[in-house]
Amino acid sequence: MPRFWTNLLGNQLVWLCAVAGASRGWQWPALLAALLYISSQLLTSIHPRLDLRLLMLALACAWLVDASAAASGTVRYAAAPLGWAPPPWIMALWAAFAMTLTTSMRFLQRHPALPFLFGLLLAPLAYLSAARGFAAVQFAAPMWRGLLVLGVGWSVALSLLCWATRRGVRDTAAPPLAGASP
């Protein structure tokens, strides 16, 4: 149980550091918080190789989802050195989120529709919170288009990430004991 809570609360702390830092034009709070969080999670993980693979896949998803949102002009990120590319603080958030897939967000593995719905409905709320609470994200009018781009992108990305998690956990499961019946 303690790993669940450190995983969940640590990820939320990374989010807070990232959006608060980005609102001031800083990348370093997100990068430092993500580095500490990811390191701690990998050191205590029961699937460290899977977590690393998920991290790499999440970074690829970040490029597709957030770069699409930025390139479409519907979303603008604070502290974005390249306007069309996801800023480092967004990449740090995706990397940190990947660490939750085998622990605190494991419930998403229960049904194939959960990641899709979670990504479509709840992921845009995090961006909206970053926009309204911290001015780390700005939406072009009408706002619903940016939220839709992010929601659709996240629903596809999270479905892919959860599929990879299910497959990775299944592949890394311990083999049965000799002579044990399946």
Side-chain angles (χ1 to χ4, degrees), residues 55-137:
L55 186 147
M56 299 307 288
L57 182 57
L59 291 175
C61 289
W63 270 98
L64 295 173
V65 173
D66 287 288
S68 296
S72 72
T74 60
V75 179
R76 283 180 301 199
Y77 301 99
L82 304 171
W84 54 270
W89 66 269
I90 285 283
M91 301 298 285
L93 287 176
W94 278 84
F97 181 76
M99 297 293 102
T100 68
L101 294 169
T102 58
T103 307
S104 61
M105 294 294 167
R106 186 175 60 224
F107 71 92
L108 292 172
Q109 312 307 321
R110 291 186 188 147
H111 193 279
L114 279 177
F116 184 85
L117 293 172
F118 193 89
L120 184 65
L121 303 174
L122 298 179
L125 290 178
Y127 288 82
L128 191 57
S129 297
R132 296 221 170 134
F134 297 91
V137 177

